[in-house]
Amino acid sequence: TSLSTSTLITMSSHHWLLAWLGLELNTLSILPMIIKPHHPRATEAATKYFLIQATAAALILFSSTLNAWQTGHWSITNISTPAATVTITIAIMLKLGLAPIHAWYPEVLQGATMNTALILSTWQKLAPLTLLYLMKNNLPNNLILTIGALSILVGGWAGLNQTQMRKIMAMSSIAHMGWLIIALSMSLDIATMTLVTYILLTTTMFTSFNSTTTKTLTDLGVTWPQSPVLFVTMLITLLSLGGLPPLTGFAPKWLILTNLCHTKLLMLSTVIVIASLPSLFFYIRMTYLAALTIPPSTTNAQHKWRHKMCHPWALSPAMVMAGLLLPLMPLMAT
């Protein structure tokens, strides 16, 4: 309850102090959820998360105070001091886990359970992104575009070496956030569409992993006996995350690249397309491991199908939307 309330406080505030209060409440309410498993890794993840979020919140408080001292107002939409704007932008990037200040994010996700990792990857992005939305007219565009391109590059390259599902999803999240803030610097409509698509695809993937108890790449090889239909749709969702046409994940990338080309940022467009290829590679590798390789022994498969799976009611419509929403793109683009 306090997690949702604190996010709504930040989203509905126009005063920096109220936004800061919402962010602090948000951090304090997620910590018990991360630490709940009573495992040393969970404790470590909670400690890292607290330190990073507290640092970012302190930076936001410092720079908003600096802005109020120089301009005489606390309004989020009219932040006009360059030093304060850059500091707040960097603090929000730290909260979102964007490159080059992303190293805490995969570690925290790895220490949390699948459900908590899902909340950290989706709901926890809303409050900081709201502040970026409100600051849209005063954002340092060059910094935003550089961090976005760097995040896409790092999210792809760092994910190549991972075997843990949560770390792979963390790297995927960093890359998608890079696309999102590049969209944010151009058009709020495209940014909103990118965010909704990202949340839909990420939620679908985490829920699938949770249902099939998949924690590593090797687990993927023995998921098919549990539910072949879920397995096939999970692979389609993975390819959609990679942004392959004709799946839903292609729509936001298409719109962002079209907009970048319209604004004559051809070099940036080329860089982010090339940088997203490693991401696509590890999604396709996951699909390959799941569909085209046979595990060394079938005992795992024989034992695993006895495990009673719970299928959340929302998983089926989410899977359908994750694959088939591309025809709605002209409607979204307008």
Side-chain angles (χ1 to χ4, degrees), residues 132-278:
L132 284 179
Y133 269 62
L134 289 170
M135 291 167 61
K136 164 79 170 69
N137 297 326
N138 301 305
L139 286 175
N141 269 342
N142 289 344
L143 179 67
I144 292 278
L145 294 174
T146 308
I147 288 178
L150 197 59
S151 297
I152 297 169
L153 190 64
V154 168
W157 280 106
L160 291 176
N161 211 19
Q162 302 298 340
T163 55
Q164 298 289 331
M165 279 305 169
R166 276 162 292 189
K167 283 195 175 178
I168 288 175
M169 291 306 290
M171 291 307 171
S172 157
S173 174
I174 291 166
H176 278 89
M177 280 292 125
W179 283 95
L180 177 56
I181 63 158
I182 286 175
L184 190 73
S185 68
M186 297 181 302
S187 159
L188 293 184
D189 295 338
I190 295 179
T192 309
M193 182 207 162
T194 310
L195 177 64
V196 170
T197 311
Y198 161 75
I199 288 175
L200 171 70
L201 295 175
T202 308
T203 307
T204 309
M205 279 320 304
F206 270 113
T207 315
S208 308
F209 291 150
N210 213 17
S211 296
T212 55
T213 61
T214 304
K215 291 186 176 64
T216 61
L217 282 179
T218 46
D219 289 347
L220 273 175
V222 290
T223 49
W224 62 268
Q226 297 177 64
S227 172
V229 177
L230 173 64
F231 175 72
V232 171
T233 46
M234 190 165 89
L235 300 188
I236 292 169
T237 312
L238 266 176
L239 296 177
S240 185
L241 257 180
L244 281 182
L247 304 170
T248 308
F250 177 59
K253 293 186 178 181
W254 188 2
L255 287 177
I256 291 166
L257 290 169
T258 308
N259 245 30
L260 282 173
C261 292
H262 284 164
T263 47
K264 302 287 187 289
L265 290 168
L266 298 176
M267 188 66 191
L268 179 67
S269 310
T270 312
V271 167
I272 63 175
V273 167
I274 293 170
S276 62
L277 287 177

Side-chain angles (χ1 to χ4, degrees), residues 9 22 25 67 84 110 164 201 204 209 215-216 222 229 232 279-280 289-290 299 301 313 334:
I9 287 172
L25 285 172
N67 183 62
Q110 185 58 30
Q164 298 289 331
L201 295 175
T204 309
F209 291 150
K215 291 186 176 64
T216 61
V222 290
V229 177
V232 171
S279 292
L280 184 58
L289 280 171
T299 47
W313 63 269
T334 52

